[in-house]
Amino acid sequence: MALRVAVIGSGPAGIYTAEALVKQSLEPVRVDVLERLPTPYGLVRYGVAPDHTSIKSIANYLRRVLELPEVRFLGGVTLGPHVSVEDLLGSYDAVVYCTGAMVDRKLGIPGEDLPGSVAATDFVNWYCGHPDVDPGRFTLDSPEVAVIGVGNVAVDVVRVLAKTADELRATDVPHDVLERLSESQVKAIHMVGRRGPEHAKFTLKELRELGDLANADVCVRPDEAVVLGGDFPRQVQGNIKVLQSWAAREPVGRPRRLDVRFWLRPVEILGAERVEGLKLERTRLSEEGRVVGTGEFETLPVGMVLRSVGYQSVPLPGVPFSEQTMTVPNEAGRIREREYVAGWLKRGPTGVIGTNKSDAAETVRTLLADLEGRERVAAESIDALLAERGVRPVTYAEWLAIEAAETELARSLGRGERVKLVGLETMLRACRP
Ligand SMILES: Cc1cc2nc3c(=O)[nH]c(=O)nc-3n(C[C@H](O)[C@H](O)[C@H](O)COP(=O)(O)OP(=O)(O)OC[C@H]3O[C@@H](n4cnc5c(N)ncnc54)[C@H](O)[C@@H]3O)c2cc1C
Ligand SMILES: NC(=O)c1ccc[n+]([C@@H]2O[C@H](COP(=O)([O-])OP(=O)(O)OC[C@H]3O[C@@H](n4cnc5c(N)ncnc54)[C@H](OP(=O)(O)O)[C@@H]3O)[C@@H](O)[C@H]2O)c1
């Protein structure tokens, strides 16, 4: 009998896990990939910025895994409301949880919950057309916006704010979102780092792209671009060089302006009914290397604050979870007997898409070594169980029908290769006419 494995989540970690199972297993294997959305690929579809088309094309590689005869995609099936850990352990020899990191980290400052204070997770979901977020959710009616954090997600968010709607027209951004972007009143964007240029988390290629924006001048204050010491890794040296070159140039009057700021930490989001400003405190590093305030404050007159300070995982019902690391405790991917973890849920929300490949391969090595020579469990049928509960999974063929509808929508609108369909009902109507 084939080894039967359930992979929960169809982001890069889930699909690389399925691939590693097929490649590494010496005996026949069957892998079901259960995904809460009708669509596969996780953050490749609902995270990678719409204008990063070459990165998005990684989906072409992931697609080939889902098309392997040993692998089956079951969309619209959520661990929690639809199936429990017990159901999975009754139906499969092993389960690998790959549900990523879906929510934002909190800043823990006053005013964080005011209207206009927005988690980057929500904003990214919005421009990526995630079914959890209504396309009408955001109106960019404020001329000044702050983005807190200097990681690659902050850079993505800044780029989408800085570009014109026309520049994003050929991407897969949902049409309603594109219309909102075309009405944007944003003139000034402040990207704020709590430490110096040498500590920024963005990568050089992503940073450089900001300097090439046709619609925005990028400005850095010379005093904030000063970096002491010089023994930095190449990437960091590159970042510093680029930032210092921007500090030396004058704005040329482009319609929007991006200020990249350093050594400022957010202390309060100001406003009575909604965001009216962001209070920042200048910082320095203590002798122990911690960020400390200097008691010198400044206020940015922004009407929107985008908090891009990292993602975090959420506990899955019935699965161990550490509130300290916000990950699932594991040893080389093993959680406990027959249960495993891979991807952001395993190691936290860092690393690029490719990092999940080696990560998944490690988990699969552990799983196969543990299960070698073990008797297979008398498997119940997950299909029968789902049918009993009235859950009809979205098949891979149905997902292809959603894709085809997105291609057709792009054609009818005269836009690029694909325009995202938004909303579960719309997607289901497209694949089950
Ligand atoms: C905004 C953003 C942009 C990024 N851009 C890039 C980039 O340009 N290049 C790059 O290399 N890396 C990028 N990354 C990093 C990359 O996306 C991650 O390394 C990768 O997606 C993590 O993979 P994962 O499978 O662990 O999680 P995810 O990709 O988040 O996949 C998790 C999947 O699990 C599903 N799921 C969640 N809960 C359940 C449940 N209860 N039941 C069933 N399914 C569930 C989700 O719907 C999702 O499909 C970006 C990350 C972010 C946040
Ligand atoms: N194009 C790409 O390749 C791409 C695109 C998007 C994302 N990704 C990857 O996805 C992962 C997640 O990216 P991310 O940008 O969400 O996370 P990240 O790289 O961890 O960056 C988070 C940023 O938030 C700051 N921050 C955290 N807490 C803060 C606080 N309380 N106050 C102020 N600032 C705070 C951090 O500053 P400190 O350093 O001081 O903590 C850091 O600048 C990364 O590995 C990233 O490279 C890649």
Side-chain angles (χ1 to χ4, degrees):
M1 199 163 54
L3 173 69
R4 295 172 46 138
V5 182
V7 169
I8 313 302
S10 68
I15 297 190
Y16 287 134
T17 297
E19 182 186 38
L21 280 162
V22 173
K23 279 193 176 162
Q24 287 184 36
S25 179
L26 298 176
E27 48 188 322
V29 62
R30 291 277 173 277
V31 186
D32 280 354
V33 179
L34 277 60
E35 164 59 54
R36 85 176 175 104
L37 300 175
T39 57
Y41 313 138
L43 285 166
V44 173
R45 179 172 162 93
Y46 290 124
V48 172
D51 55 345
H52 277 177
T53 41
S54 67
I55 301 175
K56 278 194 168 297
S57 68
I58 190 90
N60 294 330
Y61 181 91
L62 303 178
R63 158 197 301 267
R64 289 205 286 275
V65 177
L66 290 182
E67 288 175 355
L68 291 170
E70 296 90 344
V71 178
R72 193 167 67 131
F73 174 71
L74 285 84
V77 182
T78 308
L79 171 59
H82 299 145
V83 286
S84 67
V85 168
E86 289 69 36
D87 297 331
L88 294 168
L89 291 173
S91 308
Y92 298 93
D93 298 301
V95 185
V96 189
Y97 306 108
C98 305
T99 51
M102 308 300 290
V103 299
D104 59 301
R105 274 197 216 128
K106 295 280 175 246
L107 280 173
I109 60 171
E112 190 165 7
D113 297 324
L114 277 173
S117 163
V118 175
T121 44
D122 286 340
F123 193 70
V124 168
N125 278 346
W126 174 69
Y127 66 65
C128 287
H130 195 292
D132 284 357
V133 177
D134 179 344
R137 167 82 184 272
F138 296 112
T139 309
L140 301 173
D141 52 6
S142 171
E144 298 211 29
V145 177
V147 178
I148 301 174
V150 282
N152 278 332
V153 172
V155 171
D156 281 350
V157 163
V158 159
R159 223 178 40 255
V160 169
L161 286 168
K163 283 191 170 181
T164 62
D166 261 356
E167 287 174 291
L168 295 168
R169 208 182 145 71
T171 71
D172 66 4
V173 165
H175 209 58
D176 290 352
V177 170
L178 191 73
E179 276 176 11
R180 293 283 169 131
L181 289 169
S182 72
E183 290 157 8
S184 167
Q185 301 298 312
V186 173
K187 295 272 177 292
I189 306 157
H190 310 265
M191 181 162 71
V192 187
R194 64 176 168 180
R195 297 188 288 160
E198 68 274 40
H199 307 112
K201 296 268 175 67
F202 40 59
T203 40
L204 182 55
K205 182 167 164 282
E206 280 61 31
L207 179 67
R208 276 209 187 108
E209 250 183 287
L210 295 180
D212 296 334
L213 289 169
N215 195 46
D217 284 317
V218 184
C219 307
V220 176
R221 299 192 182 193
D223 56 331
E224 290 179 355
V226 173
V227 172
L228 302 175
D231 195 14
F232 299 111
R234 260 180 57 162
Q235 272 277 338
V236 175
Q237 280 181 29
N239 282 351
I240 296 170
K241 220 168 137 189
V242 168
L243 290 162
Q244 290 180 341
S245 74
W246 292 346
R249 75 186 192 193
E250 290 295 320
V252 297
R254 295 196 176 101
R256 289 183 180 142
R257 175 183 165 117
L258 164 64
D259 279 287
V260 188
R261 305 290 312 274
F262 293 100
W263 297 112
L264 291 167
R265 71 174 177 190
V267 287
E268 185 173 358
I269 299 176
L270 306 168
E273 303 286 312
R274 53 166 300 120
V275 172
E276 289 165 23
L278 172 65
K279 186 173 173 186
L280 299 165
E281 183 179 21
R282 187 148 293 284
T283 56
R284 61 174 179 81
L285 288 187
S286 69
E287 274 176 17
E288 304 80 51
R290 281 187 310 113
V291 179
V292 290
T294 61
E296 189 192 326
F297 298 93
E298 82 173 73
T299 298
L300 299 176
V302 296
M304 186 182 201
V305 174
L306 281 151
R307 311 179 315 262
S308 183
V309 295
Y311 281 54
Q312 70 188 23
S313 296
V314 290
L316 292 169
V319 180
F321 192 77
S322 159
E323 295 288 339
Q324 261 165 357
T325 60
M326 300 305 275
T327 57
V328 172
N330 69 91
E331 256 174 69
R334 181 192 310 105
I335 306 169
R336 55 191 177 192
E337 207 174 324
R338 301 203 285 129
E339 289 178 88
Y340 300 85
V341 62
W344 275 15
L345 183 64
K346 174 184 174 187
R347 58 173 209 280
T350 56
V352 291
I353 294 164
T355 320
N356 301 292
K357 190 167 186 170
S358 46
D359 179 299
E362 178 195 60
T363 295
V364 169
R365 274 195 301 278
T366 307
L367 182 158
L368 292 175
D370 287 353
L371 268 66
E372 198 191 340
R374 290 267 304 262
E375 206 180 311
R376 302 284 164 252
V377 294
E380 317 214 334
S381 159
I382 199 79
D383 296 8
L385 192 141
L386 289 172
E388 233 170 70
R389 292 178 188 168
V391 182
R392 183 178 158 196
V394 174
T395 62
Y396 183 71
E398 286 174 328
W399 149 242
L400 291 183
I402 296 173
E403 267 202 315
E406 293 189 336
T407 311
E408 174 52 28
L409 179 60
R411 198 199 53 75
S412 70
L413 293 168
R415 287 184 51 193
E417 280 178 22
R418 171 203 295 252
V419 170
K420 291 241 185 78
L421 293 183
V422 187
L424 292 177
E425 275 177 28
T426 315
M427 285 195 259
L428 289 179
R429 243 182 288 124
C431 68
R432 293 172 184 164

